[in-house]
Amino acid sequence: MAIHKVALIRYKTIDQCLRNSHRKWTLDMLIEKVSEALYEYQGITGGVSKRTVQADIQLMRSNKLGYNAPIVVLNKRYYTYSDSNYSINHSKVTDADVEKMSEIVSVLRQMNGFDYFDDMNDIIARLENSLHKSVNREHNHIQLEGNKLLKGLEHILPLYQAIRKKVPLLITYQSFKAKAPVPAVYHPYLLKEYRNRWFLITHPRKGSALVTLALDRIVEFMEMSPKDYVPYTGVDFERYFGETLGVTRSERDRPQKVVLWVHPNQAPYVLTKPLHHSQQLLRQEADGSIMVRIDVTLNFELEREILGFGEMMRVLAPRNLVGFIRKRLQKAAEQYAVVKKELKTTGFGQN
């Protein structure tokens, strides 16, 4: 049974509501949310009828779409999932869905030659690989970097929608240093990926600086009133993060000229895969070593990148970064001195 686009929007909106078990969803509330979604994505101003939403709920409960959604009504008034871990996103893809997606991929492939689709090569390859695997039950032809244990990926779509709709969010967040989750209101501005980990760039209602939240540390969130949203008026994010390696920086940080020496064994790697888009080759020695410059803000991700090269890379400038890296390497060496002593006392170091 093929699903019409408008109907799919209704199903996904109902699913998103019922997954939020911290709210009690009446039929009228579901109708309101579905109407908002239809206006947002399709420009439909007439809303949706009570009969349509009731029919959608019955269809989601059935096996006609393969959902078998465990939707129950509490106190003859409030709709919810009896299984808090359920989502229609976890349902198996039907043959009709595969056929529709195949058509979409075919259209995307034909449009791939246009300049404004330059970034879609990998997306189309991923889609084709997933479809081929679903239809033919074969092994992957593309092995993608990913971590199935990584938390927070389910937040990407609703957070993206909140950014587009300009809606403030009540986010319950627990940093690595916090002992318990803390709820606070944030104004979301940008979703950013770095090394297969996702982050939300926000402005807290109580605060004057931008805050970066890791999606895997978000416990839950809910939308607030759009009329309270505070738009972003700072520097363009393309420029803001274009001067940064990773996601960590403050609005006061300014890029610095970072000069690096690279060992001959790693020089080809750094030349073919630049550390940053600002990378310039300053000098290439007869032994194959090189000296490069990148213009970036100094942050944790930059230090980690440099340390990852070990003895194959040396910081030449700026002076304060030279000091940071030297101290971290000294501390790392001290850790191995401790390990040597511990191995002797425990007996693990014996052959």
Side-chain angles (χ1 to χ4, degrees):
M1 180 179 181
I3 306 176
H4 191 273
K5 183 178 180 180
V6 173
L8 184 59
I9 293 173
R10 299 199 306 266
Y11 305 148
K12 290 183 73 68
T13 303
I14 294 171
D15 176 68
Q16 184 179 338
C17 291
L18 300 185
R19 287 175 62 192
N20 183 1
S21 58
H22 297 280
R23 293 189 66 179
K24 293 183 177 181
W25 297 98
T26 64
L27 184 61
D28 289 339
M29 292 169 67
L30 293 175
I31 293 171
E32 181 181 356
K33 281 294 184 181
V34 171
S35 298
E36 290 176 359
L38 291 176
Y39 176 74
E40 170 69 18
Y41 297 107
Q42 293 293 305
I44 298 175
T45 57
V48 64
S49 69
K50 179 178 179 180
R51 179 178 297 179
T52 298
V53 174
Q54 287 177 322
D56 288 342
I57 291 173
Q58 291 301 322
L59 194 59
M60 291 171 66
R61 281 171 169 160
S62 72
N63 190 40
K64 291 182 179 179
L65 300 176
Y67 292 158
N68 292 307
I71 302 174
V72 295
V73 184
L74 303 179
N75 301 325
K76 299 181 179 180
R77 178 177 174 85
Y78 302 112
Y79 289 79
T80 187
Y81 283 142
S82 60
D83 180 359
S84 60
N85 296 318
Y86 177 84
S87 171
I88 63 172
N89 296 329
H90 304 153
S91 302
K92 293 182 179 180
V93 179
T94 65
D95 292 339
D97 293 331
V98 171
E99 184 179 347
K100 282 290 183 182
M101 287 189 285
S102 298
E103 293 176 6
I104 293 171
V105 171
S106 178
V107 172
L108 290 175
R109 195 189 304 113
Q110 294 175 40
M111 301 183 71
N112 196 33
F114 293 95
D115 292 341
Y116 46 84
F117 275 89
D118 284 345
D119 296 333
M120 294 198 64
N121 284 322
D122 63 331
I123 296 175
I124 294 173
R126 289 169 185 244
L127 287 172
E128 286 194 308
N129 182 65
S130 296
L131 286 172
H132 186 79
K133 184 180 177 183
S134 298
V135 175
N136 300 306
R137 303 293 190 271
E138 295 183 0
H139 296 296
N140 282 322
H141 297 302
I142 303 176
Q143 193 169 65
L144 304 169
E145 181 180 358
N147 184 354
K148 292 183 179 180
L149 299 178
L150 187 64
K151 299 179 180 179
L153 297 182
E154 70 277 8
H155 298 324
I156 293 176
L157 183 57
L159 287 175
Y160 170 74
Q161 294 169 348
I163 294 171
R164 286 194 58 197
K165 293 188 294 184
K166 298 182 178 180
V167 177
L169 300 170
L170 175 61
I171 300 177
T172 302
Y173 189 81
Q174 183 172 8
S175 68
F176 287 115
K177 297 179 180 179
K179 294 181 179 179
V182 178
V185 176
Y186 297 89
H187 305 282
Y189 298 137
L190 177 74
L191 278 167
K192 181 172 176 61
E193 182 188 17
Y194 179 66
R195 292 193 169 178
N196 203 37
R197 195 173 178 219
W198 284 86
F199 301 86
L200 179 67
I201 314 303
T202 69
H203 190 285
R205 186 172 66 180
K206 296 180 179 180
S208 57
L210 289 174
V211 171
T212 301
L213 304 178
L215 265 62
D216 54 10
R217 305 305 300 170
I218 293 178
V219 178
E220 61 182 8
F221 63 92
M222 61 181 296
E223 295 183 358
M224 308 294 285
S225 173
K227 65 182 179 63
D228 297 325
Y229 184 80
V230 178
Y232 177 68
T233 56
V235 65
D236 180 72
F237 279 126
E238 292 292 331
R239 175 186 166 192
Y240 184 80
F241 285 109
E243 301 170 340
T244 304
L245 189 70
V247 296
T248 306
R249 73 166 293 180
S250 73
E251 294 174 276
R252 296 187 300 272
D253 292 335
R254 294 294 178 267
Q256 299 190 40
K257 299 176 183 178
V258 178
V259 181
L260 305 165
W261 171 87
V262 185
H263 190 278
N265 289 350
Q266 289 296 308
Y269 175 84
V270 173
L271 289 174
T272 55
K273 188 185 178 189
L275 303 174
H276 187 258
H277 65 80
S278 64
Q279 181 173 302
Q280 302 175 41
L281 176 63
L282 300 180
R283 189 188 308 168
Q284 187 158 13
E285 304 293 351
D287 64 356
S289 65
I290 60 173
M291 187 184 299
V292 297
R293 164 185 161 181
I294 57 176
D295 299 329
V296 294
T297 56
L298 306 186
N299 62 6
F300 171 76
E301 290 96 323
L302 174 64
E303 292 183 29
R304 186 170 60 182
E305 183 74 19
I306 294 170
L307 290 169
F309 282 89
E311 76 281 6
M312 299 292 180
M313 180 174 287
R314 184 169 68 248
V315 181
L316 303 178
R319 188 173 300 176
N320 57 342
L321 182 59
V322 173
F324 293 152
I325 298 299
R326 181 190 296 117
K327 287 180 181 179
R328 293 192 63 177
L329 288 172
Q330 288 173 346
K331 289 182 179 179
E334 291 170 2
Q335 291 294 326
Y336 282 97
V338 173
V339 169
K340 187 175 181 180
K341 292 180 181 179
E342 290 180 345
L343 289 176
K344 285 184 178 179
T345 58
T346 60
F348 286 113
Q350 298 177 2
N351 293 328

